[in-house]
Amino acid sequence: MKSTLSLLALSISLTAVLTACVTINIYFPAAAAEKAADKIIDEVWQLKDGVAMPANKAPEKTTEKVIDPPAK
Amino acid sequence: MFRENNMQKIIFSLLLLLSLFNSRWVNAAADLDVNTPAISAIKSSMQNRHAQLAGHYASGAIGLTKDGLIAVRDATALPLKDRQGINALVAAENSDRNALYKEVAAGNGHPEWQGEVRNIFAGRWIDKAQSGWYFEQDGGWAKK
């Protein structure tokens, strides 16, 4: 009887924790959204050297060295 | 007694499994997915347009609005050849931006987040703007 009670208590508390997790997911994740925004803006405005930059540099100036970019 | 004990173990491990699954799910929600095909398409369209817009941000002809869009601020700052096309350019950019906010929210299973996504973006566009660019404040345009 006692063990059944403690099991019941355990399930109730676990359920409470689980519900809390689900609740978190419903709220807007502002920090994650900022991270996502930064990533997209960096790519659209090409603020960081990376994937987007070299593609746009394609029309090279003749004064630039034609050697491959230095190893990073 | 033995039976009851076994039953307990089974229930307990089931609950444990469930909580593990759940915590993984919550962790996955800690990042927003911005690599959906729709978002990638909008991003590359905006990236291409930025080459045309960059000069106009710098001259002050267009500015960043507080609702995450752009607007013509001073058409006289535009070279004559660009004056006619500017409205279409701004409209195209704004339609991409609206679609982007919508897709970020919907792509993560919460279309109702669109407004909040827009607000976050509005702040970040302005934070990342180059100095000399104009952005909208409560009192009007301000120069960064």
Side-chain angles (χ1 to χ4, degrees):
Chain A
M1 194 61 204
K2 203 181 169 191
S3 64
T4 321
L5 262 180
S6 65
L7 186 68
L8 192 72
L10 183 73
S11 349
I12 289 175
S13 53
L14 258 176
T15 313
V17 172
L18 293 186
T19 331
C21 290
V22 173
T23 313
I24 288 168
N25 196 43
I26 290 169
Y27 288 119
F28 177 68
E34 278 199 13
K35 224 166 90 180
D38 284 352
K39 199 171 158 230
I40 291 175
I41 294 171
D42 285 348
E43 280 178 46
V44 170
W45 281 354
Q46 297 168 14
L47 296 177
K48 284 188 183 143
D49 289 334
V51 210
M53 281 300 267
N56 225 33
K57 272 187 182 170
E60 275 171 50
K61 288 173 205 152
T62 40
T63 49
E64 265 175 5
K65 285 177 218 160
V66 199
I67 306 164
D68 282 338
K72 276 167 200 164
Chain B
M1 190 60 203
F2 174 74
R3 227 211 215 148
E4 196 190 346
N5 240 350
N6 249 5
M7 197 66 180
Q8 263 184 32
K9 272 184 193 160
I10 290 171
I11 293 177
F12 185 73
S13 37
L14 272 177
L15 281 173
L16 203 69
L17 256 176
L18 192 72
S19 67
L20 274 177
F21 169 76
N22 227 54
S23 63
R24 218 182 55 193
W25 181 55
V26 168
N27 278 342
D31 269 323
L32 290 185
D33 181 14
V34 291
N35 288 319
T36 68
I39 294 175
S40 299
I42 298 167
K43 225 162 50 180
S44 74
S45 153
M46 290 173 73
Q47 214 172 58
N48 292 332
R49 192 179 302 107
H50 184 64
Q52 286 171 271
L53 289 173
H56 300 324
Y57 290 128
S59 74
I62 53 181
L64 305 163
T65 66
K66 57 186 173 187
D67 59 354
L69 302 175
I70 64 171
V72 178
R73 190 194 136 261
D74 178 14
T76 62
L78 288 165
L80 275 177
K81 67 175 174 63
D82 288 337
R83 282 189 197 173
Q84 201 161 14
I86 191 71
N87 286 333
L89 192 65
V90 167
E93 171 73 7
N94 284 340
S95 120
D96 269 354
R97 286 183 177 218
N98 284 326
L100 176 69
Y101 307 147
K102 193 175 154 198
E103 283 301 330
V104 170
N108 287 280
H110 289 272
E112 76 278 8
W113 285 350
Q114 194 186 327
E116 281 152 305
V117 169
R118 172 191 300 277
N119 288 340
I120 295 276
F121 266 86
R124 300 310 292 155
W125 286 119
I126 292 169
D127 280 354
K128 286 176 171 280
Q130 289 172 25
S131 71
W133 292 14
Y134 284 85
F135 63 97
E136 194 188 19
Q137 272 184 333
D138 286 331
W141 292 107
K143 195 174 186 175
K144 206 175 158 179

